[in-house]
Amino acid sequence: MAAQLLEAQLSLRISAEDLGRVTEAAHASGATVAQFVREAVSDKCGEVEELKREAAGTELSADDHPLTRSERLVLAAVTRRAGISSVAAASASAGLSWSAAKSALVSLARRGAVRQRTWTQSWRDGVRERSTWEPVVSLPGWRELQAQAQHVPLPRPAELGDFTGPVPPQFWSLFWNHPDPSSLALPADAEFVANRLLNGPSPQAALWASVRLPVSSLQSCLRLRSTQPHTRDLINNALAHRASAPQ
């Protein structure tokens, strides 16, 4: 692996520090370094072509440039499923290859149909950057674009069972006043964890909790007077889905 990275560094003519950043970004996106570099070059070429089209005053509407199959699948995935944070997640949700999902995301972003929202999150002794893809419903012509992806069937997500083990590290920041969030474990601390994740500020954490925490912990959260109406709706929908799922 070290030899391959050294070869990549020499081929790209960049410093070891820059190569480390490229490698870290590639791993975060779910791609290999080679995939990431190829797609980065492709993106740059696409940006140049897009600037040329803008300079020529050409605008593509939903009518004169219909969405491709890959774009319809990715737009459907971003619209219907929360927490698509990477190309790998879009690929799995849409049932496409990594490169096809990447190309579709880039194309949809250029059209203004999706955007990548980024924020910082407390992480251990510092902060880290998090991001997720979301639809841009305020885009003029959004309804026309959405109509093309509205009835596109997506691969059925795998059925998930109750989570056991330590609370996932990405949620530790929500336990800011706990002396050691890494010591929290499921299902032993499920009721406490359910309250923090479902009634916290993170929609991703609430969605994860609704499908991965024990039913009893969700029901205990319903009994809390502090649980908000929209959170009650999420919990009730999750409980109804579990009750109807085959055993």
Side-chain angles (χ1 to χ4, degrees), residues 13-210:
R13 296 182 180 179
I14 59 177
S15 67
E17 182 179 358
D18 288 339
L19 180 62
R21 285 196 288 267
V22 169
T23 304
E24 183 178 350
H27 290 165
S29 71
T32 65
V33 175
Q35 282 178 321
F36 186 83
V37 171
R38 281 199 302 270
E39 294 297 330
V41 173
S42 176
D43 288 351
K44 192 63 179 178
C45 292
E47 289 173 7
V48 172
E49 292 301 317
E50 185 70 16
L51 289 173
K52 288 181 180 178
R53 285 194 293 268
E54 290 177 359
T58 59
E59 295 184 357
L60 298 176
S61 68
D63 293 331
D64 55 26
H65 185 59
L67 297 177
T68 65
R69 175 181 175 274
S70 294
E71 289 169 345
R72 291 196 302 271
L73 284 165
V74 169
L75 183 59
V78 172
T79 303
R80 300 179 206 167
R81 296 181 179 171
I84 294 188
S85 58
S86 66
V87 175
S91 170
S93 295
L96 295 169
S97 67
W98 188 94
S99 58
K102 170 69 173 179
S103 178
L105 274 175
V106 170
S107 178
L108 290 168
R110 286 181 184 146
R111 293 182 66 137
V114 300
R115 65 187 167 201
Q116 192 173 30
R117 183 172 64 87
T118 303
W119 69 96
T120 56
Q121 180 185 70
S122 298
W123 176 249
R124 297 182 180 176
D125 295 329
V127 296
R128 65 175 179 175
E129 195 173 84
R130 307 290 290 171
S131 64
T132 188
W133 287 93
E134 59 184 23
V136 184
V137 297
S138 60
L139 175 73
W142 164 254
R143 290 187 178 181
E144 289 77 6
L145 285 176
Q146 185 188 32
Q148 296 184 51
Q150 187 172 4
H151 301 294
V152 173
L154 295 174
R156 185 176 182 138
E159 292 294 332
L160 300 175
D162 289 349
F163 183 87
T164 60
V167 172
Q170 63 264 36
F171 302 136
W172 288 353
S173 63
L174 299 175
F175 302 90
W176 53 271
N177 62 346
H178 191 280
D180 183 16
S182 66
S183 67
L184 293 170
L186 300 170
D189 301 309
E191 291 192 8
F192 173 66
V193 171
N195 181 29
R196 283 301 181 88
L197 297 190
L198 288 163
N199 288 315
S202 169
Q204 286 75 27
L207 183 62
W208 183 90
S210 72

Side-chain angles (χ1 to χ4, degrees), residues 1-20 23 33:
M1 183 63 180
Q4 292 175 340
L5 291 177
L6 178 59
E7 183 180 352
Q9 178 187 350
L10 294 175
S11 300
L12 294 172
R13 296 182 180 179
I14 59 177
S15 67
E17 182 179 358
D18 288 339
L19 180 62
T23 304
V33 175

